Amino acid sequence: EAGVAQSPRYKIIEKRQSVAFWCNPISGHATLYWYQQILGQGPKLLIQFQNNGVVDDSQLPKDRFSAERLKGVDSTLKIQPAKLEDSAVYLCASSAYDPPVLHFGNGTRLTVT
Amino acid sequence: GDSVTQMEGPVTLSEEAFLTINCTYTATGYPSLFWYVQYPGEGLQLLLKATKADDKGSNKGFEATYRKETTSFHLEKGSVQVSDSAVYFCALHTGGFKTIFGAGTRLFVKA
C-alpha cells in the first residue's frame, strides 16, 4: 500500500510571504490530519478532517492558516502571511478505524526568514 | 485538558543495555495509548499500542503496559541496539477524536 505523500519536502520563504503544502493520504482513509512539529517538541494538531468535513480546528491560527480537503481525498494547508514562528515541520497523517493508528508522511520542513 | 508527559532526553545507552522511557498521561474517560517512533530521516510510525487497562503492547522487542492506576504507559526494551536510536513519542487518543503527543524522547545507543 502506498504511504502518505507530501510535497514539497523543504521550503524556505521570507516572512509575510505565503506558502502551501499538499498531502495525499492513504487510499480509503477517511480521516486526515495536519500537525505542526516545532524543533524539540511533539506534533501539535492543527486541523482534522473526517472525509471532507472539519472535525477539529481549535488550534489552527485561522487569521493566517487555512486548510481544505476537496472530495474527501487530497488536502492543502496554506499559510498567508507567514511569520518567523511558523518555522516547523508540517506533518500530514491519515487513519482508518478506531482507535486510529496514524500513518504519517515525511513532512514538509518550512523555514521562514 | 488531556495531556501526555514524557521523560526528557536525550537518553544515551550502550548496546545491550536495558531501556525505560517514562510516559504518564492525563485524560478524561478511557484513552487508547500509543508509542510512535521516528528514525533519522524518516516519518513517524507506530511502534505499539494498548487500548484498555492492563493491556500490553509489544513490537520489535519493545513493550509497554497500560496502567490505569498510575496513569502510565512506560516503554521498555531489555537489550537495545544501535539501530534503536531514534525519537520516541508517547501519545493518547480520547473519545474526543484527538490524538495528543508528548514532547518526544531522543535515544542514542552507542556501540
Side-chain angles (χ1 to χ4, degrees):
Chain A
E1 132 186 298
V4 175
Q6 287 189 248
S7 67
R9 192 70 194 271
Y10 304 94
K11 190 74 176 178
I12 301 173
I13 61 172
E14 295 182 351
K15 59 183 179 183
R16 292 187 289 273
Q17 287 187 324
S18 63
V19 64
F21 313 126
W22 173 83
C23 173
N24 180 247
I26 292 173
S27 177
H29 281 192
T31 310
L32 185 146
Y33 315 75
W34 284 102
Y35 281 85
Q36 179 192 58
Q37 186 177 16
I38 292 172
L39 187 64
Q41 299 181 17
K44 182 184 85 171
L45 180 68
L46 292 176
I47 188 167
Q48 179 176 334
F49 293 94
Q50 181 79 13
N51 296 308
N52 58 351
V54 175
V55 172
D56 187 333
D57 63 357
S58 58
Q59 297 197 82
L60 186 74
K62 298 181 185 64
D63 58 334
R64 299 185 299 107
F65 285 64
S66 64
E68 61 180 4
R69 188 182 186 194
L70 299 176
K71 300 181 181 178
V73 183
D74 291 7
S75 178
T76 56
L77 176 70
K78 296 179 182 178
I79 308 175
Q80 181 179 12
K83 292 185 175 181
L84 295 177
E85 59 259 37
D86 298 332
S87 294
V89 177
Y90 290 85
L91 299 168
C92 179
S94 67
S95 71
Y97 314 122
D98 184 55
V101 172
L102 274 61
H103 298 261
F104 285 87
N106 286 328
T108 297
R109 183 177 298 277
L110 173 67
T111 302
V112 182
T113 63
Chain B
D2 298 342
S3 65
V4 176
T5 302
Q6 289 182 237
M7 65 187 286
E8 288 191 23
V11 173
T12 303
L13 295 173
S14 297
E15 218 168 13
E16 300 183 3
F18 184 86
L19 168 71
T20 300
I21 299 178
N22 290 337
C23 171
T24 58
Y25 67 89
T26 302
T28 53
Y30 303 97
S32 296
L33 301 173
F34 305 81
W35 278 99
Y36 285 82
V37 59
Q38 187 170 30
Y39 297 105
E42 299 184 17
L44 278 87
Q45 59 187 274
L46 178 72
L47 180 60
L48 53 84
K49 67 177 181 179
T51 58
K52 62 182 186 296
D54 300 324
D55 268 3
K56 177 185 285 187
S58 61
N59 186 26
K60 299 182 180 179
F62 290 89
E63 293 183 340
T65 301
Y66 187 160
R67 301 286 188 200
K68 188 170 181 291
E69 63 276 13
T70 55
T71 61
S72 65
F73 193 54
H74 304 321
L75 182 68
E76 296 181 336
K77 187 174 185 182
S79 175
V80 294
Q81 305 300 312
V82 172
S83 57
D84 294 326
S85 297
V87 182
Y88 293 82
F89 294 91
C90 186
L92 67 81
H93 177 80
T94 69
F97 304 107
K98 189 178 293 188
T99 296
I100 297 169
F101 288 83
T105 303
R106 184 175 294 277
L107 171 67
F108 292 106
V109 181
K110 302 179 297 185

